[in-house]
């Protein structure tokens, strides 16, 4: 079982007063392009990178700064292994140096994957920006997933050892419906507080604010898949999705349990998005209505709210 919530970032011309041109890591992404961009494509790319840069600041200010990957279109330009200590600090030149060289000439989609971990939950945050979204989609969405730490496989732990430990945990903490309800209510409260912190930071970065969707308690019988090999093994711990106590229920009992605990069965196959799904009908984009504020005086490229830690423009 896991928790999920989505934040849609509202982008309007109101953001023209706060966007700065990309710097540091995000400017380095821009250097990966082949040089064949038209002036319109260059401007659209800079706006998208600047939006991602501001979302980076919001994530860092919330304490969610464990960078897992950056994908431009279908090209993985940054891929971090699970044991790395890299973070989202733009001032880290070593992070910029790790960006892969590419042959990119336009940004259609841009995504950022970040990990986080607390005492009770571990988090997966997926930021997805589309140059030309479908009519029903927000151009910028942030998906947050919360996984129960107790069901996480420990380093060096075998599958058998994990199963025995999970069984023991369930006997003590999840042994009946009342205990499960109390535990899930507590975890959901922790999760929603973390998401609320992130939304508040996003709203500081974007005057047009953001929209928060209701949180969900989800259950799935199969591990999540990613469209990218780099993340296939990162979030496939099935104990996070299908706690072992459900194996001892009949179909009718499982249905009752789902209703009583307000659990939904998630049938989706992937947790991330396939870049080829982007709508690329023409060159126009929501980015065309947003301009940069080219303020002089060496201001921080991400605005004053980051405390100057993002580097100069």
């Amino acid at each position: 079982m896991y928790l999920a919530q989505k934040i849609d970032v509202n982008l309007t011309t109101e953001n023209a007063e706060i966007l700065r041109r990309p710097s540091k890591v995000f400017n380095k992404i821009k250097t990966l392009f082949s040089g064949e961009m038209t002036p319109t494509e260059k401007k659209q790319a800079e706006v998208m990178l600047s939006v991602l840069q501001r979302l980076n600041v919001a994530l860092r200010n919330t304490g969610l700064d464990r960078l897992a990957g950056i994908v431009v279109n279908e090209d993985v330009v940054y891929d971090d292994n699970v044991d790395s200590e890299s973070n989202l600090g733009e001032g880290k030149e070593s992070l910029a140096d790790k960006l892969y060289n590419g042959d990119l000439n336009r940004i259609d989609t841009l995504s950022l994957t970040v990990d986080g971990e607390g005492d009770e939950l571990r988090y997966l945050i997926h930021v997805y920006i589309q140059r030309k979204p479908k009519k029903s989609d927000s151009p910028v969405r942030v998906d947050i997933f919360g996984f129960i730490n107790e069901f996480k496989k420990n380093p060096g732990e075998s599958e058998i050892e994990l199963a025995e430990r999970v069984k023991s945990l369930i006997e003590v903490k999840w042994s009946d419906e009342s205990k499960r309800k109390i535990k899930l209510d507590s975890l959901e409260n922790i999760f929603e507080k973390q998401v609320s912190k992130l939304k508040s930071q996003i709203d500081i970065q974007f005057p047009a604010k953001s929209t928060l969707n209701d949180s969900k308690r989800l259950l799935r019988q199969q591990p999540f898949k990613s469209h990218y090999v780099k993340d296939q093994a990162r979030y496939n711990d099935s104990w996070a999705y299908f706690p072992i106590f459900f194996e001892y229920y009949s179909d009718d009992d499982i249905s009752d349990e789902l209703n009583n605990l307000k659990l939904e069965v998630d049938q989706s196959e992937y947790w991330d998005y396939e870049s080829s799904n982007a709508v690329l009908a023409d060159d126009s984009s929501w980015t065309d209505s947003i301009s940069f504020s080219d303020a002089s005086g060496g201001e921080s490229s991400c605005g004053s709210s980051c405390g100057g830690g993002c580097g100069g423009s």
Side-chain angles (χ1 to χ4, degrees), residues 25-26 29 51-57 59-60 64-72 77-78 87-88 95 99 109-115 124-129 141-143 230-231 235 271-273:
V25 169
F26 298 96
I29 293 175
V51 168
L52 186 64
Q53 182 169 266
R54 297 192 73 82
L55 288 170
N56 160 36
V57 175
L59 286 162
R60 290 174 59 202
L64 301 168
D65 60 359
R66 172 69 180 66
L67 178 59
I70 300 173
V71 177
V72 179
V77 300
Y78 181 83
N87 58 50
L88 285 172
L95 176 56
L99 291 171
T109 60
L110 186 59
S111 66
L112 182 78
T113 306
V114 177
D115 292 338
L124 161 62
I125 300 93
H126 186 60
V127 176
Y128 188 64
I129 304 175
R141 63 180 287 168
V142 182
D143 286 290
K230 71 184 184 67
D231 288 322
Y235 307 105
W271 57 263
D272 55 6
Y273 308 100

Side-chain angles (χ1 to χ4, degrees), residues 150-161:
E150 289 179 326
F151 300 141
K152 177 184 178 181
K153 187 176 181 180
N154 293 325
E157 189 174 39
S158 69
E159 291 293 334
I160 294 177
E161 291 170 336

Side-chain angles (χ1 to χ4, degrees), residues 194-237:
Q194 181 67 52
V195 175
S196 179
K197 289 180 182 178
L198 177 56
K199 182 185 184 303
S200 296
Q201 288 297 325
I202 289 174
D203 289 347
I204 290 173
Q205 300 299 323
F206 295 94
K209 309 301 181 184
S210 60
T211 301
L212 182 64
N213 292 262
D214 292 337
S215 63
K216 294 182 178 180
R217 300 176 179 182
L218 298 175
L219 188 74
R220 58 187 299 117
Q221 296 182 350
Q222 298 296 326
F224 261 139
K225 291 182 180 179
S226 169
H227 285 99
Y228 303 97
V229 174
K230 71 184 184 67
D231 288 322
Q232 288 289 11
R234 197 179 190 93
Y235 307 105
N236 66 353
D237 185 354

Side-chain angles (χ1 to χ4, degrees), residues 34 187 292 312:
S34 62
L187 291 172
F292 288 108

